[in-house]
Amino acid sequence: MKKGWIIALGLLLIGILGAYVYYNRLKSNAEAEGGAYDGTLKPRVELSRFDFENITDDEITMNMYILLDNPLPVALKGRNVDYSFYINDQELVKESYEKVVTVNAEDSTTLALPAKLKAKKMVALLEDLDRRKIDSADYRLRISFDTDVPILGEKKINIDQTRRLPAFHLLQFKVDDIDYGKLSLKAMDVAAKVNIINRNKLPYNVTDLHYTVVIDGKEIAEGAQDEPILVKKEATTPVVFPMTVKPGKALGLLPKALFDKKDTPYEITFRCKILDKNNNPMFQQSKFMTTIKGTLLDFKKNK
């Protein structure tokens, strides 16, 4: 009987020792790959990049792409994911993610977290940095979620990450004018004169550009720019976007466009990708969409 207990105890000690060795091996591998931190094997989170889905004067709708690394030997399932995003300790995003997040054992996944950011608050923050001649900022991401850990049971995991990066100003599209060109029975030529304002210290390429024009609630035109547009650093780059509109869509709007500009609203939407010439992974190939609204009276002249 005693011999049986001794064997069982020996097997238990061997199991504990094996688990300890396995844990330390995983920890060493994770540290070598930059995965473990705080002296533990808890999951690692990195803010990968942003996609700006829509930008207006009031709100920025975007996705924050998060790399979630699981160094544990078991799959990780996260529930009740709460996250917040800060620039220089000012909270700009506070959201929750309702879906269950699953990361396989010793694996990683990329997660798109939707977020709505108050545009005016962010612009004020960046303008303050400009006044103080500061060209970088602390980008902080905080995430917490519930998960089941073997043996330990249900645990709440909190992750807090800060990275010092260049202060990024969103590109601004300003419509300077809409020109109505030749009118025929088959088509009407329209050109939007747009200024792309880049307040960053780096140039960017804008590619895969598509745009739509809505006047008085009716989509009258759409177009695309095939060639990349070089947006110069700390400068305004003027661009002309030509479009051809069928008279059936736009002819009825012509009297308002000529004689009732004050009460004729317009909405122009631009969709594109931003290519950072310095290959900044935070914005490389980031999708960008911005919507400009106003009335035709905003333009200097209309033909």
Side-chain angles (χ1 to χ4, degrees):
M1 189 72 177
K2 290 183 179 180
K3 185 177 181 181
W5 277 107
I6 291 173
I7 294 174
L9 182 60
L11 291 174
L12 179 62
L13 290 174
I14 291 172
I16 293 173
L17 180 61
Y20 177 77
V21 171
Y22 183 62
Y23 173 88
N24 278 277
R25 181 177 66 81
L26 286 175
K27 182 178 176 182
S28 298
N29 292 342
E31 287 174 344
E33 297 172 0
Y37 58 96
D38 294 340
T40 70
L41 272 175
K42 72 180 184 181
R44 177 171 61 97
V45 166
E46 284 189 5
L47 182 59
S48 176
R49 65 184 177 91
F50 298 100
D51 273 350
F52 301 100
E53 292 193 332
N54 196 15
I55 298 171
T56 66
D57 291 337
D58 298 319
E59 190 175 72
I60 299 171
T61 304
M62 64 182 186
N63 281 318
M64 299 189 300
Y65 282 83
I66 307 299
L67 176 65
L68 182 58
D69 180 69
N70 175 23
L72 296 171
V74 294
L76 181 69
K77 289 188 177 182
R79 304 179 305 280
N80 304 321
V81 181
D82 295 320
Y83 52 99
S84 51
F85 176 71
Y86 303 75
I87 297 180
N88 283 0
D89 291 328
Q90 288 199 36
E91 187 178 75
L92 300 178
V93 171
K94 187 176 180 63
E95 302 277 0
S96 296
Y97 189 74
E98 301 299 330
K99 298 179 181 179
V100 175
V101 179
T102 301
V103 188
N104 293 330
E106 299 182 62
D107 200 0
S108 61
T109 189
T110 300
L111 179 66
L113 297 178
K116 291 184 179 180
L117 185 151
K118 298 300 181 184
K120 292 180 180 179
K121 188 174 182 179
M122 181 175 176
V123 169
L125 187 155
L126 294 174
E127 288 179 347
D128 179 63
L129 291 178
D130 281 347
R131 284 192 295 269
R132 294 188 286 144
K133 300 186 183 302
I134 300 174
D135 59 4
S136 60
D138 290 327
Y139 294 78
R140 182 184 182 190
L141 177 67
R142 299 181 66 185
I143 294 181
S144 67
F145 56 90
D146 298 325
T147 186
D148 290 325
V149 180
I151 301 175
L152 298 178
E154 186 169 306
K155 300 283 289 184
K156 179 174 283 294
I157 294 180
N158 298 291
I159 299 172
D160 194 331
Q161 181 199 62
T162 301
R163 296 178 66 184
R164 188 75 177 178
L165 297 168
F168 177 76
H169 294 268
L170 295 172
L171 298 182
Q172 293 178 280
F173 287 68
K174 297 290 186 182
V175 181
D176 183 58
D177 195 9
I178 293 181
D179 281 345
Y180 303 97
K182 296 180 180 179
L183 176 64
S184 69
L185 294 177
K186 294 183 178 180
M188 179 175 70
D189 292 332
V190 176
K193 297 182 178 180
V194 178
N195 290 323
I196 304 179
I197 303 168
N198 179 18
R199 297 176 62 187
N200 298 290
K201 298 182 182 297
L202 297 171
Y204 293 89
N205 273 325
V206 172
T207 186
D208 294 341
L209 181 62
H210 295 79
Y211 42 90
T212 56
V213 179
V214 175
I215 296 180
D216 201 28
K218 298 178 181 179
E219 183 178 310
I220 68 162
E222 62 179 349
Q225 180 73 26
D226 296 328
E227 296 296 324
I229 299 171
L230 175 62
V231 181
K232 299 177 181 178
K233 66 178 183 179
E234 297 182 297
T236 297
T237 303
V239 185
V240 176
F241 296 124
M243 293 163 278
T244 300
V245 187
K246 293 182 179 180
K249 288 187 176 181
L251 194 57
L253 297 174
L254 196 57
K256 284 192 171 187
L258 295 175
F259 305 112
D260 191 16
K261 300 174 186 176
K262 180 180 178 181
D263 297 317
T264 304
Y266 76 87
E267 183 176 305
I268 302 179
T269 300
F270 298 93
R271 297 176 180 85
C272 63
K273 288 183 179 179
I274 301 174
L275 302 182
D276 180 2
K277 294 178 71 66
N278 281 4
N279 295 320
N280 183 343
M282 195 68 80
F283 303 101
Q284 184 72 358
Q285 291 282 356
S286 177
K287 291 185 294 184
F288 183 95
M289 175 175 162
T290 183
T291 302
I292 303 168
K293 298 180 181 181
T295 69
L296 295 183
L297 191 64
D298 298 338
F299 304 128
K300 296 184 298 185
K301 61 179 182 177
N302 294 94
K303 295 181 181 179

